[in-house]
Every structure is written in C-alpha cells, then in structure tokens.
Amino acid sequence: MSEQRLTPATAALLTIPPLLWASNAIVGRLVVGLIPPVMLNFLRWTLVFALLLPLAWRVFRPGSGLWRQRRHLALLGLLSVGSYNALLYLALQTSTPINVTLVGSSMPVWMLAIGLLFGARVMPQQLLGAALSVAGVLVVLSRGDAHQLLQLRLVTGDLLMVLATVVWSLYSWLLTRPGVPEPLRADWASLLMAQVVFGTLWAGLFAGGEALLLDPAPIAWSWPLAAALLYVAVGPSLLAYQCWGAGVRRAGPSTAAFFANLMPLFAVLMSGLVLHESPQPYHALAFGLTVGGILVSSRRRGA
C-alpha cells in the first residue's frame, strides 16, 4: 500500500477516533456494575447494526462479495468488534480509563512489529517517533516524576489492554490487505457493516459464554445506561470507525498508530472534567512529546 504524506485533513481524520475512543473508556468505566462488560459490547454492536442497516443494506444483495470473502471479513469482525472492544470493557472492570488508554498507547510499537510480518519496512524516523510517543506515555504514567515509574504496578485490566492493543494492531494491518471486495471497500458504511455482521455474531457468542461461565449480575436498566449505549454506538463506533478506516488508507497503519497515543491525553482531560481535576504541567509536556512523535514518524526520508 502506498502511504501519502500526512496532510491536515488526514491528521484530523486520525485525531477524531482517539478522542471518541477515550470517551468510550470513560463511559465504559461509568457503567461498571450496571451491565456486564462483554454484554455491553454485544448490545453496543447490535445497536450499531440497526443504525447501519438503512445506510448499508446493499451488502446483503447477491454479488456484494460479503459471502465470497466471509473468512476475511469474519476475521476482521472477530479482531475489531468481537475481541478488541470486549477486552477494553473487561479491562475497565479493574483499571482506570487513563491507565487503559496509556497501555493502549503502546500501539506504535506493536504496529511496527506486526508490520514486519506483512513485509513493511521500519524507517528510522518511525523508530524515533515511537520513542518520543512512548516517552510521552511515561511522562503521564509517572506524573512528571521518574521515581513514580519504580512503583508502577500493572493490574489484570492493564494486561488485558495489552492483549487488546496487539489485536487492534493486527486488525489495522489486515484492513489494508487485499481480500475486501471493492464494492464494500468503496463505501465506509458497507465496509463497517460487513465487519459488524460477523463481529456481532462473535460478540454474541462471547456474551453467551460470559453469562454461562461467569454468572454476572443482571443488567440494571436505566435511562443513563440507555444513553450510554446510544453514545458508544454512534460516536466511538460509527463515527470513529469511519474516520479511522479513511485515515489508515491515507496515511498507512504505522503512521496512524501514533495517533492512538492521543487517547491517554484526551482521557486525562475528560477524566478531569468528570472528576473536577485540573490538568497538570506534565500533561502539556506529554502532549508535546506525543505530537512530536506523530510529526517525526510521518516525515519522509529526505523531506
């Protein structure tokens, strides 16, 4: 795949998803105790399916390629809809939105590593960009105090988020590979629907396993929970996936991955609004390092 220079329009496309995904982590944490995490994922994507149907019903017509490429699309649905999001909500049971998004910001490293399996070349500026971005993550993680890193303890949720990040990195690379029919790839709603069809089946299967094996508490239905479900279906799902897919096709998976490092910064700001905590000076330093990593990684050799 030919990667283009990072333009302001492409940067905007790739900034919207981490903003919405950070808010998804906030909402996911707020509804802990109201709904089992894997069931939350299943209901979220069931609602996405219903919202997408008027826009993408043509994918079910003969000749769309949905059934012909079912194995590839089922794998994409498993990784994105079925696994990544369920792991995220599971992680939020024992970890905080800031920690979860911080762990998720290791994505550039995983994206570069998995890219090697796809024959991608790792450029020196990408390694430098990854180092700057990781440095930004460490600044936030340590709250500007290097001694805090020595006391860092990862909980189960953090480890689940590591697995989720690896899964998402693999998904992003597969999204750029041949296998998706052109009629589906040409339209964002059709491409997303092709993944949601299979992904929701996976999510339902996992939610059934959660109910049978873990015996979670019943759903505590309320208007706030309904509003949360609607939000995560529209913002972090429909809008974010549309922007991410378009941004990855324009800039390539390796460059796009650096924008994931904006998630913890957005999570810090939104957690501050919810918890009435003011941003600290080290947040500005972390933001500068993260943006610097994005800019450095997107430069072309000799530019």
Side-chain angles (χ1 to χ4, degrees):
M1 183 189 67
S2 176
E3 297 183 8
Q4 302 177 9
R5 184 183 299 274
L6 186 65
T7 64
T10 302
L13 281 173
L14 292 171
T15 300
I16 291 172
L19 172 62
L20 293 172
W21 290 330
S23 70
N24 181 48
I26 300 292
V27 172
R29 182 64 175 178
L30 288 174
V31 300
V32 168
L34 299 180
I35 182 172
V38 183
M39 178 59 71
L40 169 61
N41 186 53
F42 173 59
L43 293 181
R44 169 190 177 183
W45 290 103
T46 300
L47 186 54
V48 170
F49 176 85
L51 294 172
L52 268 180
L53 196 56
L55 301 175
W57 58 271
R58 292 180 178 82
V59 302
F60 299 105
R61 298 173 62 179
S64 70
L66 179 68
W67 183 250
R68 187 175 66 254
Q69 297 295 335
R70 60 189 180 279
R71 289 186 176 87
H72 183 71
L73 293 171
L75 179 58
L76 290 177
L78 170 63
L79 294 173
S80 60
V81 174
S83 299
Y84 174 80
N85 294 279
L87 288 168
L88 169 65
Y89 291 137
L90 281 168
L92 288 166
Q93 300 296 300
T94 54
S95 190
T96 65
I98 294 177
N99 272 12
V100 163
T101 53
L102 279 167
V103 173
S105 291
S106 62
M107 187 180 297
V109 177
W110 297 111
M111 198 74 83
L112 292 176
I114 292 176
L116 295 175
L117 302 178
F118 287 86
R121 291 191 303 165
V122 178
M123 309 298 287
Q125 64 267 28
Q126 290 177 317
L127 293 175
L128 178 58
L132 288 173
S133 295
V134 170
V137 171
L138 293 177
V139 167
V140 177
L141 200 61
S142 66
R143 295 176 174 80
D145 182 2
H147 296 291
Q148 292 286 339
L149 293 177
L150 300 178
Q151 303 173 10
L152 178 63
R153 295 294 183 272
L154 294 178
V155 298
T156 302
D158 298 329
L159 299 177
L160 287 172
M161 196 59 204
V162 170
L163 177 58
T165 303
V166 175
V167 166
W168 184 263
S169 298
L170 178 58
Y171 162 77
S172 293
W173 274 107
L174 288 174
L175 196 62
T176 69
R177 310 304 292 179
V180 178
E182 189 56 35
L184 297 181
R185 190 181 290 276
D187 176 56
W188 74 269
S190 296
L191 178 60
L192 181 55
M193 175 61 94
Q195 299 172 66
V196 169
V197 168
F198 294 101
T200 304
L201 294 176
W202 287 113
L205 180 64
F206 296 152
E210 177 187 49
L212 290 174
L213 300 177
L214 302 181
D215 191 25
I219 301 174
W221 286 108
S222 63
W223 285 113
L225 178 58
L229 279 170
L230 181 61
Y231 175 75
V232 296
V234 174
S237 303
L238 291 175
L239 183 57
Y241 272 67
Q242 177 188 7
C243 294
W244 183 260
V248 168
R249 287 192 295 273
R250 290 188 184 190
S254 295
T255 297
F258 286 89
F259 282 81
N261 280 17
L262 294 173
M263 277 196 292
L265 302 174
F266 290 139
V268 166
L269 295 175
M270 284 185 282
S271 293
L273 291 175
V274 174
L275 302 174
H276 305 291
E277 297 176 351
S278 301
Q280 301 298 317
Y282 64 80
H283 292 142
L285 174 59
F287 181 80
L289 289 168
T290 300
V291 172
I294 292 171
L295 295 176
V296 169
S297 68
S298 65
R299 291 186 61 188
R300 295 289 177 262
R301 181 179 293 179

